[in-house]
């Protein structure tokens, strides 16, 4: 998921992020951000032992970039092998940061196990911000069309952008592991019937 972090701590704090969310995960809101940083503005008392359980986000997307839309790359998309494994993120753009940041669509790559690669995000769709820092558009959501093109909604320009990589071959399909075959069911009625053996007390005549 993508997360918009808190404001009013300066232009470079706090980085918004992309992360997985295991069951029961705690990212510290509102007392803590990025695992070890306490927001002293919060008046409510912090729960005891919270710092021991706060989880660090997987990947920083930049401060105040306002990540909204998220779409995972899949087989058959028309973005090419370079964008075959990872996530496309629509960064709506900052409103209280100087210089402005975001206003684009970026790609965060994953390795073969689905872990985030520790490298800067790749720009996919840019040009929404002029040199005078005037917004021509602001990406909000991303999704794939049936033909594999990436669709990007723009709530300022009022349009939907269709993005493909010219000449790119469709991304290869992922390797599908063979399904585990269940053992055959035993023959019979499915009921377990107990039969006494020859030495059983049940077979001895009663006086």
């Amino acid at each position: 998921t993508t997360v918009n972090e808190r404001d009013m701590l300066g232009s470079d704090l706090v980085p918004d992020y992309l992360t997985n969310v295991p069951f029961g995960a705690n990212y510290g809101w509102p007392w803590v951000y990025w695992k070890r940083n306490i927001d002293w503005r919060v008046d409510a008392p912090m729960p005891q032992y919270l710092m021991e359980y706060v989880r660090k986000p997987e990947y920083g997307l930049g401060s105040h970039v306002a990540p909204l839309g998220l779409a995972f790359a899949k087989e058959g998309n028309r973005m090419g092998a370079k964008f075959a494994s990872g996530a496309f993120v629509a960064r709506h753009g900052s409103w209280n940061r100087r210089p402005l940041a975001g206003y684009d669509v970026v790609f965060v790559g994953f390795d073969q196990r689905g872990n985030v690669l520790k490298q800067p995000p790749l720009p996919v769709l840019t040009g929404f911000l002029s040199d005078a820092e005037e917004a021509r558009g602001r990406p909000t959501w991303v999704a794939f069309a049936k033909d594999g093109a990436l669709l990007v909604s723009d709530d300022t320009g009022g349009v939907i952008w269709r993005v493909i990589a010219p000449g790119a071959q469709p991304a290869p399909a992922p390797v599908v592991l063979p399904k585990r075959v269940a053992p055959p069911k035993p023959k019979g009625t499915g009921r377990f019937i107990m039969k006494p053996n020859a030495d059983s007390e049940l077979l001895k005549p009663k006086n």
Side-chain angles (χ1 to χ4, degrees):
T1 187
T2 56
V3 175
N4 286 237
E5 257 291 354
R6 64 205 74 201
D7 291 324
M8 306 306 175
L9 287 174
S11 291
D12 296 323
L13 288 176
V14 173
D16 302 327
Y17 57 84
L18 168 72
T19 192
N20 60 355
V21 185
F23 181 79
N26 189 318
Y27 290 89
W29 180 267
W31 298 275
V32 179
Y33 59 90
W34 280 86
K35 190 172 177 64
R36 292 298 178 188
N37 301 282
I38 298 176
D39 191 341
W40 299 105
R41 302 172 301 173
V42 180
D43 293 329
M46 183 188 303
Q48 191 176 16
Y49 307 121
L50 176 66
M51 294 290 289
E52 297 182 20
Y53 298 99
V54 171
R55 192 169 188 269
K56 184 179 179 180
E58 298 290 330
Y59 189 87
L61 291 167
S63 299
H64 310 295
V65 296
L68 297 180
L70 171 68
F72 294 101
K74 57 184 180 180
E75 69 277 9
N77 72 62
R78 297 185 62 184
M79 300 301 293
K82 184 178 180 180
F83 301 101
S85 178
F88 295 91
V89 180
R91 303 196 301 182
H92 195 234
S94 61
W95 61 272
N96 60 345
R97 185 184 189 277
R98 291 294 180 270
L100 297 179
Y103 298 88
D104 56 11
V105 176
V106 296
F107 179 79
V108 179
F110 297 167
D111 64 18
Q112 293 181 345
R113 295 182 177 273
N115 299 312
V116 176
L117 296 175
K118 303 303 181 182
Q119 61 187 24
L122 298 176
V124 175
L125 186 61
T126 61
F128 291 99
L129 200 61
S130 70
D131 293 338
E133 293 197 338
E134 296 178 350
R136 302 188 182 102
R138 301 186 75 179
T140 53
W141 203 252
V142 285
F144 284 105
K146 290 183 178 180
D147 66 352
L150 182 68
L151 303 178
V152 181
S153 63
D154 176 354
D155 67 355
T156 297
V159 297
I160 294 179
W161 300 89
R162 182 175 180 272
V163 185
I164 62 172
Q169 297 297 318
V175 177
V176 179
L177 298 177
K179 294 183 179 180
R180 298 181 62 182
V181 180
K185 294 182 179 180
K187 296 181 180 180
T189 61
R191 295 181 298 173
F192 182 73
I193 302 176
M194 294 183 63
K195 294 183 178 181
N197 58 39
D199 297 328
S200 173
E201 295 290 334
L202 297 176
L203 296 180
K204 294 181 180 180
K206 295 182 179 180
N207 296 329

